[in-house]
């Protein structure tokens, strides 16, 4: 665990990026001048935590311990926050993108503020009913965390908002974000224990939209899963999660080399950081190759199934995105050279000058989700 820099300001919010292999937390200053990342903490789970099973009490207890340790350090450094936000790992969350259509009675009357609020409420209700009927969410395990209207159309034409517009046919594209309620229980419990208000769970969609909302694919390659966001001609169209991440690469190394999972994880980290010889790198690549091939093939099958045939950009981020084979094999399969999405490339957030994370792909998601503060 490390602690970097101190910053004093009027409004401070903590953002916990909860993963399956680690938790990162950023201290963000929010003011009229924008958003600034001032402090960073990182907590790596014990090597065996995923081996115990992702749904085990070991994992959830690990989250509570990590968050409590963070709050103890923050208290020790006499930093007060105005609340905290948290992410939920992709393995325990679900997105649904819904198209909603409604008709107005008076098509020639401009939409005033009151009607705008009524229309938004109707859009929410229709979206909620759609997801419940077709997908069975929410349910005993999953609750609705947040909801956003991604775009509007009036009479088939895309508009930024509906206020003061005329027309009878309104359509909206909506994203609904559900999480395993066990996480919200943990966040509230930790917040109550440390007397810090828990605000809400957050996701990276708003941050991603600020980078590119047309013909782009974003791949967050994490510890246990890869989260895929696809933006077509009209914004966000698909979100999917693949059961592939650094854990599977580490496990492969452990089995092929006959070493412990912890030793394999350490070796993988050295490989990612370029601290192994060329001969060791080649050997590791030979073990990783078949797994990465399967992952890229699944990605291609998914694109074909969803009729995703054209995009201009592929952005890679997340700790496992450092594995060199990803970029090469994606380029070979799709004919597009992926771009690494570093924290310094995330628009709308200033990273404190001496923070050593500006090109560290492990912290990109922390910057992206901060747009929801």
């Amino acid at each position: 665990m490390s602690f970097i820099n101190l910053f004093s300001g009027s409004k401070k919010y903590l953002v916990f990026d909860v993963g399956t292999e680690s938790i990162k937390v950023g201290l963000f200053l929010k003011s009229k001048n924008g958003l600034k990342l001032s402090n960073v903490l990182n907590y790596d789970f014990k090597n065996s935590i995923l081996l115990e099973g992702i749904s085990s009490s070991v994992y959830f207890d690990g989250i509570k311990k990590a968050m409590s340790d963070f709050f103890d350090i923050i208290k020790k450094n006499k930093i007060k926050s105005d609340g905290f936000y948290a992410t939920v790992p992709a393995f325990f969350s679900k997105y649904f993108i819904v198209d909603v259509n409604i008709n107005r009675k008076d098509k020639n009357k401009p939409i005033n503020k009151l009607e705008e609020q009524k229309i938004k409420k109707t859009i929410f209700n229709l979206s909620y009913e759609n997801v419940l009927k077709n997908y069975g969410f929410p349910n005993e395990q999953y609750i609705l965390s947040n909801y956003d209207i991604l775009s509007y159309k009036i009479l088939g034409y895309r508009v930024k908002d509906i206020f003061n517009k005329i027309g009878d046919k309104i359509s909206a594209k909506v994203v609904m974000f559900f999480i395993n309620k066990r996480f919200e229980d943990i966040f509230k419990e930790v917040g109550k224990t440390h007397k810090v208000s828990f605000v809400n769970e957050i996701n990276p969609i708003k941050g991603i939209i600020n980078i590119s909302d047309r013909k782009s694919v974003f791949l967050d390659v994490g510890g246990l899963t890869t989260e895929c966001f696809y933006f077509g001609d009209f914004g966000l169209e698909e979100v999917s999660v693949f059961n592939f991440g650094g854990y599977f690469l580490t496990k492969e190394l452990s089995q092929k080399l006959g070493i412990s999972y912890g030793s394999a994880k350490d070796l993988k980290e050295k490989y990612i950081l370029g601290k192994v010889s060329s001969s060791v790198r080649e050997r590791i690549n030979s073990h990783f190759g078949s797994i990465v091939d399967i992952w890229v093939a699944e990605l291609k099958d998914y694109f074909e199934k969803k009729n995703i045939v054209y995009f201009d950009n592929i952005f890679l981020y997340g700790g496992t995105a450092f594995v060199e084979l990803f970029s090469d094999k994606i380029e070979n399969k799709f004919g597009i050279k992926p771009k690494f999405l570093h924290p310094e490339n995330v628009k709308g957030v200033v990273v404190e000058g001496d923070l050593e994370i500006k090109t560290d792909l492990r912290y990109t998601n922390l910057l992206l989700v901060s747009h929801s503060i």
Side-chain angles (χ1 to χ4, degrees):
M1 185 179 291
S2 59
F3 192 79
I4 310 173
N5 193 28
L6 291 177
F7 185 89
S8 59
S10 57
K11 280 284 185 178
K12 296 191 184 80
Y13 294 98
L14 294 167
V15 177
F16 290 87
D17 185 14
V18 180
T20 50
E21 290 194 317
S22 68
I23 295 181
K24 296 165 183 64
V25 62
L27 179 61
F28 290 85
L29 172 66
K30 187 175 185 180
S31 69
K32 61 181 181 181
N33 297 320
L35 200 62
K36 177 183 284 188
L37 174 61
S38 163
N39 300 274
V40 174
L41 291 160
N42 180 64
Y43 185 105
D44 288 317
F45 292 127
K46 292 180 179 179
N47 291 325
S48 61
I49 195 163
L50 288 180
L51 298 177
E52 297 288 342
I54 190 62
S55 297
S56 73
S57 60
V58 174
Y59 174 63
F60 292 104
D61 289 344
I63 293 173
K64 285 190 283 187
K65 182 182 185 307
M67 294 183 73
S68 293
D69 287 350
F70 283 139
F71 279 117
D72 288 341
I73 291 174
I74 289 165
K75 183 179 179 181
K76 182 179 179 180
N77 284 275
K78 299 180 180 179
I79 296 176
K80 294 183 179 180
S81 72
D82 295 284
F84 74 95
Y85 297 79
T87 69
V88 173
F91 191 85
F92 294 99
S93 60
K94 183 70 176 176
Y95 296 89
F96 294 99
I97 298 174
V98 181
D99 291 307
V100 173
N101 299 294
I102 62 175
N103 292 309
R104 296 178 66 218
K105 292 181 179 180
D106 192 347
K107 64 180 181 180
N108 295 315
K109 180 182 178 182
I111 298 172
N112 59 30
K113 285 294 182 182
L114 179 60
E115 186 181 7
E116 179 186 31
Q117 293 304 313
K118 289 182 179 179
I119 290 173
K120 287 182 176 180
K121 185 175 181 180
T122 300
I123 290 172
F124 169 80
N125 289 337
L126 290 174
S127 302
Y128 189 90
E129 291 169 6
N130 181 304
V131 174
L132 180 61
K133 178 181 178 180
N134 294 305
Y135 305 102
F137 284 73
N139 52 42
E140 291 182 357
Q141 280 190 305
Y142 283 80
I143 60 174
L144 178 64
S145 172
N146 53 60
Y147 145 94
D148 278 306
I149 297 175
L150 298 171
S151 62
Y152 294 103
K153 287 183 181 179
I154 297 181
L155 299 175
Y157 294 95
R158 193 171 183 181
V159 294
K160 187 175 182 180
D161 58 60
I162 58 175
F163 175 67
N164 212 30
K165 303 296 190 302
I166 61 173
D168 58 344
K169 298 185 183 300
I170 298 175
S171 60
K173 185 179 288 290
V174 172
V175 59
M176 307 198 86
F177 181 58
F178 292 82
I179 63 162
N180 187 303
K181 65 180 181 180
R182 192 166 181 180
F183 283 85
E184 183 159 289
D185 293 340
I186 289 173
F187 299 152
K188 288 181 176 179
E189 178 185 338
V190 172
K192 183 177 180 180
T193 299
H194 294 273
K195 299 179 181 180
V196 181
S197 174
F198 169 59
V199 183
N200 200 15
E201 299 86 12
I202 49 180
N203 62 63
I205 288 178
K206 289 182 179 178
I208 291 175
I209 289 173
N210 277 344
I211 296 169
S212 176
D213 63 351
R214 297 287 187 280
K215 296 181 179 178
S216 295
V217 173
F218 292 80
L219 298 172
D220 179 6
V221 191
L224 193 64
T225 60
T226 297
E227 204 162 15
C228 175
F229 301 87
Y230 169 67
F231 288 78
D233 289 320
F234 303 104
L236 182 66
E237 294 185 10
E238 298 286 346
V239 180
S240 186
V241 176
F242 299 88
N243 291 325
F244 175 82
Y247 164 74
F248 299 99
L249 296 176
T250 304
K251 191 174 180 181
E252 180 75 1
L253 273 186
S254 174
Q255 293 176 345
K256 290 293 177 67
L257 300 181
I259 59 179
S260 69
Y261 182 87
S263 297
K265 187 175 180 181
D266 290 340
L267 179 59
K268 185 188 71 177
E269 291 298 315
K270 290 179 180 178
Y271 159 86
I272 286 174
L273 296 174
K275 295 182 177 180
V276 296
S277 66
S278 58
S279 60
V280 172
R281 177 170 294 277
E282 289 177 6
R283 187 180 180 189
I284 291 175
N285 282 337
S286 69
H287 296 313
F288 285 171
S290 59
I291 300 179
V292 177
D293 283 337
I294 293 171
W295 176 78
V296 174
E298 286 184 2
L299 190 63
K300 187 175 186 296
D301 289 344
Y302 166 74
F303 287 159
E304 291 176 349
K305 180 181 177 181
K306 295 294 184 178
N307 198 30
I308 299 172
V309 296
Y310 181 74
F311 40 86
D312 297 325
N313 302 293
I314 299 177
F315 295 96
L316 282 175
Y317 62 101
T320 309
F322 280 118
V323 174
E324 62 186 36
L325 290 180
F326 283 119
S327 181
D328 295 341
K329 289 183 178 291
I330 287 175
E331 184 176 5
N332 290 338
K333 181 69 71 173
F334 299 105
I336 298 175
K337 186 174 181 60
K339 301 175 183 177
F340 288 117
L341 182 58
H342 298 113
E344 64 182 358
N345 302 133
V346 177
K347 299 178 182 178
V349 187
V350 175
V351 179
E352 190 77 0
D354 58 350
L355 290 183
E356 299 176 356
I357 66 160
K358 292 185 178 182
T359 59
D360 193 334
L361 298 175
R362 295 173 297 179
Y363 291 90
T364 301
N365 196 60
L366 183 66
L367 274 291
L368 290 172
V369 301
S370 69
H371 278 269
S372 295
I373 295 178

